[in-house]
Amino acid sequence: LKVVTVAEAREPDVAERLRTVIRALRDADHPNLERVYDVALLPDESPFVVAEWLPQVTLDRVLGGRRRLPTETTLEIFLRIARGCAALHERGVVHGDVRPNHVLVEMAGEEPQDVRVVKVTDAGVPGVLNMGPMGGAAGQVAYMAPECLTGQARSPASDVYAPVSGTVTAVNG
C-alpha cells in the first residue's frame, strides 16, 4: 500500500484524476512497470494505491556509493526504463517524475546480462498531484525536463528527458 500524504491529494478532483490513472494502468502487465491494482481513500480522505510488492532496491541505491557501472550495463537499464515509459505512454499516462528512486532494479553483477529486473514505479502520481515548484514536478533538477521546472504541461517527452539526462549524469559522473 502506498499512501499519498500530500495535502492536495485529499481534494476530490485530485482523487478522481488518481483513480483515472490507476484504471488506465490496472491491466498493464509489462515487465518494466510496477503493477497497480486499485486506489481507495482512507477515513481522512487521503488516497492510497494498492500495488504489487517488489523486493528489488531503487536504482539510486544501486548507484550510490558504487563505482560507475559499465556503459553497456547503464544502457541496458536505460532501455528497460524507456520500455516501461513507452508502455505508460501507450496507455495515455505520463509518469511525471522519472528518476532513480522511482526505478527498482535487481542485479546479479555489473554486466548487462546481470540485470535481472528493472521496473518503473509510482507512475502518474506526480503528474496527477502537479507537485513541485511553480506546479512543476517534484524531484531532482538533474532529472527534470524544462517544462516541469516552469510548471508547463507534462508530455511523454518529459519522461524521455528525465532518464536521458540522468543517465548521462550517471555515466559521466
Side-chain angles (χ1 to χ4, degrees), residues 25-72:
L25 296 176
R26 191 177 287 151
D27 65 346
D29 187 16
H30 190 278
N32 301 120
L33 286 181
E34 169 190 47
R35 296 243 359 182
V36 293
Y37 302 106
D38 207 356
V39 62
L41 297 176
L42 294 171
D44 72 351
E45 301 295 315
S46 295
F48 66 92
V49 176
V50 180
E52 75 176 309
W53 180 80
L54 297 165
Q56 292 79 25
V57 298
T58 59
L59 181 56
D60 61 337
R61 286 198 53 203
V62 169
L63 296 174
R66 171 190 281 231
R67 60 184 167 82
R68 289 184 281 175
L69 291 172
T71 300
E72 295 80 13

Side-chain angles (χ1 to χ4, degrees), residues 105-144:
V105 295
E106 180 181 320
M107 297 174 58
E110 293 192 357
E111 297 304 314
Q113 66 271 16
D114 296 334
V115 179
R116 293 184 177 158
V117 176
V118 175
K119 292 213 180 218
V120 176
T121 67
D122 299 319
V125 175
V128 165
L129 298 177
N130 202 24
M131 296 166 58
M134 300 184 326
Q140 300 167 351
V141 173
Y143 300 97
M144 297 171 85

Side-chain angles (χ1 to χ4, degrees), residues 70-166:
T71 300
E72 295 80 13
T73 305
T74 302
L75 290 173
E76 178 63 27
I77 293 169
F78 168 76
L79 286 173
R80 294 189 195 188
I81 294 168
R83 289 180 189 130
C85 287
L88 291 174
H89 302 157
E90 288 171 8
R91 288 167 176 75
V93 175
V94 175
H95 187 288
D97 193 15
V98 180
R99 55 186 162 126
N101 66 334
H102 287 161
V103 176
L104 296 177
V105 295
E106 180 181 320
M107 297 174 58
E110 293 192 357
E111 297 304 314
Q113 66 271 16
D114 296 334
V115 179
R116 293 184 177 158
V117 176
V118 175
K119 292 213 180 218
V120 176
T121 67
D122 299 319
V125 175
V128 165
L129 298 177
N130 202 24
M131 296 166 58
M134 300 184 326
Q140 300 167 351
V141 173
Y143 300 97
M144 297 171 85
E147 62 272 16
C148 294
L149 288 169
T150 60
Q152 296 172 353
R154 294 170 182 83
S155 72
S158 308
D159 287 347
V160 172
Y161 180 94
V164 170
S165 66

